[in-house]
Amino acid sequence: MTIWLPSLSSQGTRYRSIAEAIADAVRRGELAPGQKLPPQRRLADRLGVTIGTVTRAYAEAERQGWVVARVGSGTYVREEDAGSSAAFLAGRSDAAAGTFDLSLSLPPPHPLRAQALGRVLAEIATDDAVLQRAVEYQSERGVPAHREQLAAWMTALGMPVEAEALLVTQGGQHGISLVLQTLARPGERIAADVLTYPGLIGAARQAHLKVLGVPMDEHGMDMQALGRLCAQQPPRLVYVTPDQNNPTGRLLGEDRREQLAQLARRHDFWILEDGVQYLPEAERGTPLYRLAPERTLFAFSTAKVLAGGLRIGALVAPPGPRERLGEALRAQSWMVPPLMVEAVCRWVSGEESRTLLTWQTEELGARQRLAREVLGGHPLGGRPHGANLWLPLPEGLRSAVLVDALAQRNVRVTSAEPFCVGSEPAPQALRLCLSAAASREALSQALEIVAELLAEPPAVPWQPL
Ligand SMILES: Cc1ncc(COP(=O)(O)O)c(C=O)c1O
C-alpha cells in the first residue's frame, strides 16, 4: 500500500521539515481532514530517519494544530468543523478556484485562529463573573484587569508599556482616528511619508485635516525635508510606521528616529507611531514612544497577530492627552465591548498564541524568501519577516496596466495609488501582500504569474483617440 510521503526541504532540522511538510499538505488539501498519517515507524523507514525524528515531527504538527494524536490509534489530520474554521476553508477554496489575493494584509491563514477563538468563547460562556462584567457598562478606557493583561502581553512581545498609559480601542484604525480627532482641529495640517497607510489618509479626511507628504528614501522619512516643512507649514502631528512603512516596507533609521524626536520637541508636534504591522522584536528599531514619551502616541492592534475580525487594539498615550482620548472614545461609543477584550486577553495568555506567532513569523520569513526566489532580479522592498513586498516596476511598465493584466489572471495586487498622500505622483510599483494566500504553494503560483508578466509585459490597450 502506498503511504503519504512528505517532500522535505533541505533547510532546517529534519523534524521541522517533516512538520512543515505536513502543514503544507493539509493547507493544499493533499492530506484531508480526518485522514490518518502514516505509522511513525513506516514513515521513518521510508525517509531514512530515526523514529524519534518522526515522533518529534508529529508532536510539532500537533502543537501547531494541524493534526491530533489518538492514543492507541495513530495521528490524524485535524477535522475542522464548518463554523470554527470557515475563514481557513474559504482561503483554501479560493486557491483551489485559481484566484489569488495579494492585496489584503492579513495574518497568514491558520486553523488555530478560529479554534482558539472557539475555545476562549466556550470558557467565557461558563464564567459567571466574566459574563456579568460583559453585560455591564465599564470604564471608557477599558476594564483595568484587561488593560493590565494587554500591557503585559505587549511587554512580552517587546513593546514595554504601562497599563495606566493604555486605552483599549476597536483596532488600530480606531486608535488612529481617535488621535487625529482629539489632537488636531479641523483645517489643521498633519504630515506623513509621501507613501503611507491609506487608513491614515481616510481618517485625516474624516477629521478634515490636510495631510502633507514628506519625501522618503531607503532609510525612511527624510528628516531634513521634515525640518524644512516644519519651518514653512508646521504640522500638528507627524504619523510614522517606523519599523515597516506600508507599502514600501522601509525601516526608519535609528539616527532619524532621534532626529524626529528632536524635531517634535523643537516644533512642538505630536508623533503618532503605528506598530500595527507586526514584526519580531529583533527586526524593530527603538520605539519612538521611548525616545519622545511625552509626545508620542503608539497604536497597536491584534489584527496582524491574532485576527483582523476581533477588532481589539491598544492605544498608548502620554498623561496629557489620555483623558481627552478617553472622553472622545466615550463620546463615540462609550467603550469597547468587554466581551471581545476578555476573549483576546484569554487567547493571548495561552500557549497557543505564542505557538501561532512563532509559526506565523517563520511562515512569513519563508514567504519573503520564496518571493525573492521567484522575483529575483527585481529591486524588491520588504522586511525579512514582514507581510508586504514592494515591487518597483521596470522602466516603461505602468502599474495600472499590470494590475489589470494580473486581475485577468485572477491575481489581485495593489498599485501605489491608494498610498499616495494628497496629489503626490504615484511611483510605478506594486504592493504584494504575501500573507493572505492560503498556502505557500498558492502564493508561489501567484508570484509565478507576476514573474511571467514582468518578463513579458502586456501590451498597453489602446484605440483610435
Ligand atoms: C499600518 C497599519 N495601521 C493600521 C492598520 C489597521 O489595523 P486594524 O485592523 O487593527 O484597525 C493597518 C491595517 O492593515 C495597517 O496596515
Side-chain angles (χ1 to χ4, degrees):
M1 198 181 109
T2 55
I3 64 165
W4 174 78
L5 268 184
S7 49
L8 302 184
S9 69
S10 51
Q11 287 172 343
T13 53
R14 302 308 274 165
Y15 90 90
R16 274 189 182 279
S17 305
I18 300 171
E20 212 166 88
I22 293 171
D24 270 354
V26 177
R27 278 192 297 250
R28 286 202 306 269
E30 191 187 308
L31 281 173
Q35 185 175 336
K36 189 174 179 185
L37 260 53
Q40 297 186 9
R41 178 160 302 285
R42 277 192 74 194
L43 189 62
D45 288 347
R46 295 293 300 274
L47 293 176
V49 298
T50 65
I51 186 162
T53 300
V54 177
T55 307
R56 231 176 136 192
Y58 280 17
E60 176 64 19
E62 183 171 25
R63 200 177 66 86
Q64 292 182 12
W66 300 104
V67 299
V68 276
R70 296 195 196 128
V71 182
S73 169
T75 301
Y76 295 80
V77 176
R78 189 186 279 272
E79 305 236 34
E80 305 138 330
D81 60 71
S84 71
S85 52
F88 176 60
L89 292 172
R92 204 162 60 189
S93 59
D94 234 29
T99 58
F100 305 101
D101 198 333
L102 306 190
S103 69
L104 280 177
S105 176
L106 308 172
H110 194 299
L112 261 191
R113 297 189 203 284
Q115 282 160 17
L117 182 61
R119 182 185 59 71
V120 296
L121 290 177
E123 271 175 36
I124 291 171
T126 59
D127 190 329
D128 290 342
V130 166
L131 291 173
Q132 188 55 36
R133 195 162 69 184
V135 294
E136 288 168 3
Y137 281 112
Q138 301 291 340
S139 149
E140 64 273 5
R141 282 166 58 192
V143 174
H146 287 158
R147 284 162 50 208
E148 292 284 349
Q149 283 168 285
L150 290 174
W153 176 56
M154 288 172 69
T155 303
L157 292 179
M159 300 165 208
V161 294
E162 301 285 337
E164 183 49 28
L166 191 149
L167 282 89
V168 181
T169 61
Q170 302 212 22
Q173 183 65 32
H174 183 209
I176 293 169
S177 285
L178 268 179
V179 170
L180 298 193
Q181 284 167 21
T182 310
L183 300 188
R185 290 195 206 94
E188 287 187 331
R189 291 177 293 266
I190 63 168
D193 287 313
V194 274
L195 290 173
T196 196
Y197 164 56
L200 181 270
I201 301 173
R205 199 183 155 96
Q206 292 301 318
H208 305 285
L209 303 173
K210 182 169 171 53
V211 191
L212 304 173
V214 186
M216 57 198 296
D217 61 21
E218 68 273 24
H219 301 296
M221 187 179 278
D222 177 341
M223 290 302 149
Q224 294 195 339
L226 179 61
R228 286 193 295 277
L229 187 89
C230 288
Q232 291 157 8
Q233 300 180 283
R236 169 68 65 198
L237 173 148
V238 175
Y239 167 87
V240 273
T241 44
D243 294 321
Q244 150 168 237
N245 166 274
N246 187 359
T248 64
R250 285 174 198 158
L251 169 75
L252 187 65
E254 283 293 311
D255 52 337
R256 296 197 187 186
R257 291 174 193 237
E258 298 276 0
Q259 289 162 14
L260 180 54
Q262 284 164 14
L263 281 172
R265 292 194 178 107
R266 191 174 321 139
H267 296 280
D268 191 23
F269 58 74
W270 295 104
I271 299 172
L272 173 52
E273 175 175 24
D274 181 337
V276 170
Q277 289 276 349
Y278 179 80
L279 278 180
E281 191 180 358
E283 237 160 272
R284 293 182 230 140
T286 310
L288 286 152
Y289 73 84
R290 308 289 308 234
L291 294 174
E294 78 292 357
R295 54 180 63 247
T296 302
L297 297 106
F298 178 63
F300 186 62
S301 164
T302 52
K304 313 294 169 183
V305 186
L306 305 179
L310 299 173
R311 310 309 308 143
I312 299 297
L315 179 65
V316 183
R322 255 178 235 162
E323 284 297 316
R324 279 191 285 151
L325 289 161
E327 273 171 38
L329 201 152
R330 185 160 24 132
Q332 289 173 353
S333 66
W334 276 110
M335 62 183 190
V336 175
L339 183 61
M340 277 320 284
V341 195
E342 177 71 26
V344 162
C345 288
R346 281 179 187 247
W347 183 347
V348 300
S349 67
E351 179 59 27
E352 112 208 278
S353 76
R354 282 183 285 278
T355 303
L356 195 56
L357 197 52
T358 307
W359 170 81
Q360 170 172 324
T361 303
E362 285 170 7
E363 180 64 22
L364 288 178
R367 290 181 182 212
Q368 286 283 348
R369 291 193 295 279
L370 172 69
R372 279 162 174 79
E373 273 166 34
V374 179
L375 300 172
H378 293 277
L380 302 171
R383 305 305 314 282
H385 294 89
N388 296 334
L389 190 78
W390 180 241
L391 171 63
L393 299 183
E395 184 68 31
L397 188 49
R398 315 276 317 170
S399 48
V401 173
L402 199 55
V403 170
D404 276 358
L406 284 166
Q408 280 170 29
R409 305 226 4 219
N410 296 326
V411 180
R412 282 193 286 274
V413 299
T414 316
S415 74
E417 206 64 58
F419 303 94
C420 289
V421 165
S423 38
E424 296 289 340
Q428 302 304 319
L430 300 181
R431 189 196 71 169
L432 309 181
C433 212
L434 305 182
S435 53
S439 67
R440 246 180 265 169
E441 187 174 73
L443 175 65
S444 169
Q445 286 176 38
L447 292 171
E448 291 289 354
I449 297 174
V450 176
E452 269 173 38
L453 289 179
L454 285 172
E456 211 158 308
V460 179
W462 64 281
Q463 54 190 7
L465 293 169

